[in-house]
Amino acid sequence: MPSLILRRLLTGFVTLFVVISLTFLLLRLMPGGPFDQDRKLPPAIQANIEARYHLNKPLWQQYGIYIGGILRGDLGPSFKYKSRSVRDIVGEATLTSTKLGLMALTLGVLLGTTLGTLAGLSTSRFWDGLLTLTGVASISTPLFIFGGFLVLLFSLSLGWLPAATLESPKHYLLPVLTLSLTPFSYAFLLVRTTVREVRSQQYVLIKRSQGLAESTIALRHILRNSLIPLVSILGPIAAAIITGSFAVEYIFAIPGLGKHFVTAVSNRDYTLVMGITIIYGLALILFNTLTDIVYGLLDPRLREEAKR
């Protein structure tokens, strides 16, 4: 396992370097610049601003300066929020998105795993069909439509819950429910399918013939083996949710990574876009590595593969 984890980390950081380089290049190739939306400035002031942010240098020098700053832990100043650094903005936004994302991920996975197990073990076509229809509908529904529906129903029509921001515990309910739709749908459909496959395996039939209780068979043998496919996709899902859903954070006016990324792209805030891209890449590496560790604990075949 240590060698496997080391290989995953090295591959992840090489991939992150490529992503950083491509993002840097694509931002510079986009039409318009970070200060084009401001009022027309005198040439001398414009030149001073470009010199401050190294925009007057050749592209390869700008790239070298930025990479050097990253190696020192400096993500640079924000082009839009001139009194703040990207590290400060990303730090605050990451805390907000992480807290919101962890709650949504936990709720979605627990609910999806529970209902998926019940659907997989059910012998009733009606309940299995109803639950499966729920899972298919959830994975087919865009988050911005689901979130808008929740706001329309619980905020505007019923007046039970606030529609935006995160000022109190009640403010978390609608965005958490919206974000949990993605992990719920994947967890439900994967667990339901694998439970149906595992329950017909020979070793399960042998355990049943030995007189073990159905609850014991379901928990110790069927559910444990059914969780392996779910674990394999939890890394990317967790990274995507915890680093912030762009649409959801924008709908609910949440100052997380997703909302900052949308505004940074529209403002051509190069350094802020790069900072959020780096955070997303690091989160993806971290969660994929954790996924490999858990996957190895659940499936001994992966450990044997790592030894060879």
Side-chain angles (χ1 to χ4, degrees):
M1 286 298 290
S3 61
L4 177 64
I5 294 172
L6 182 60
R7 289 201 302 270
R8 293 287 192 274
L9 288 175
L10 289 176
T11 303
F13 281 113
V14 170
T15 304
L16 179 61
F17 175 76
V18 173
V19 170
I20 291 173
S21 302
L22 290 176
T23 304
F24 183 92
L25 178 61
L26 291 174
L27 284 173
R28 277 8 184 227
L29 293 177
M30 289 174 60
F35 305 108
D36 289 355
Q37 297 178 356
D38 295 340
R39 59 186 176 85
K40 189 66 175 178
L41 298 175
I45 297 179
Q46 182 76 19
N48 288 334
I49 293 177
E50 291 180 353
R52 176 188 176 189
Y53 295 105
H54 308 294
L55 297 177
N56 59 336
K57 297 182 181 297
L59 185 61
W60 65 271
Q61 289 188 10
Q62 295 182 41
Y63 176 76
I65 292 172
Y66 187 76
I67 294 297
I70 292 177
L71 295 178
R72 297 191 304 271
D74 182 13
L75 298 178
S78 169
F79 288 2
K80 182 65 176 178
Y81 308 100
K82 298 179 177 61
S83 61
R84 304 188 65 190
S85 68
V86 171
R87 185 168 57 184
D88 293 339
I89 297 173
V90 169
E92 295 176 4
T94 300
L95 290 177
T96 301
S97 293
T98 300
K99 183 164 57 174
L100 188 68
L102 283 176
M103 289 188 288
L105 182 67
T106 303
L107 175 64
V109 170
L110 289 179
L111 189 58
T113 301
T114 302
L115 293 182
T117 303
L118 293 177
L121 295 174
S122 175
T123 57
S124 169
R125 289 190 175 184
F126 172 77
W127 287 111
D128 178 50
L130 180 62
L131 291 174
T132 302
L133 179 62
T134 303
V136 172
S138 64
I139 204 172
S140 305
T141 305
L143 291 184
F144 67 89
I145 291 180
F146 184 60
F149 169 75
L150 293 181
V151 170
L152 180 64
L153 177 62
F154 293 105
S155 297
L156 301 182
S157 298
L158 300 176
W160 292 352
L161 297 172
T165 69
L166 297 176
E167 298 176 2
S168 69
K170 290 178 62 176
H171 287 76
Y172 281 87
L173 292 177
L174 292 185
V176 167
L177 284 174
T178 304
L179 272 177
S180 67
L181 185 67
T182 298
F184 164 78
S185 57
Y186 280 101
F188 173 82
L189 293 174
L190 275 175
V191 171
R192 183 254 180 198
T193 301
T194 51
V195 164
R196 283 199 166 273
E197 293 176 355
V198 171
R199 64 182 292 192
S200 61
Q201 296 294 320
Q202 185 176 7
Y203 70 89
V204 174
L205 300 177
I206 293 174
K207 294 296 181 181
R208 188 174 288 116
S209 66
Q210 291 175 348
L212 287 180
E214 287 295 328
S215 58
T216 302
I217 295 174
L219 291 175
R220 292 186 180 181
H221 302 285
I222 296 179
L223 183 58
R224 177 177 178 178
N225 290 285
S226 300
L227 290 178
I228 294 177
L230 175 62
V231 170
S232 65
I233 67 165
L234 276 184
I237 291 177
I241 291 178
I242 291 178
T243 51
S245 170
F246 302 158
V248 172
E249 291 189 357
Y250 206 79
I251 289 173
F252 292 100
I254 298 171
L257 289 172
K259 185 174 183 295
H260 277 301
F261 187 84
V262 173
T263 56
V265 171
S266 62
N267 292 329
R268 301 295 191 272
D269 194 341
Y270 296 158
T271 51
L272 186 53
V273 172
M274 293 293 300
I276 296 175
T277 301
I278 293 171
I279 293 299
Y280 183 85
L282 289 174
L284 196 59
I285 294 171
L286 172 63
F287 283 107
N288 280 337
T289 303
L290 291 177
T291 297
D292 288 335
I293 295 174
V294 177
Y295 196 97
L297 295 175
L298 291 175
D299 190 351
R301 292 173 297 180
L302 187 65
R303 298 196 295 270
E304 294 299 326
E305 178 185 343
K307 295 178 182 177
R308 293 197 293 266

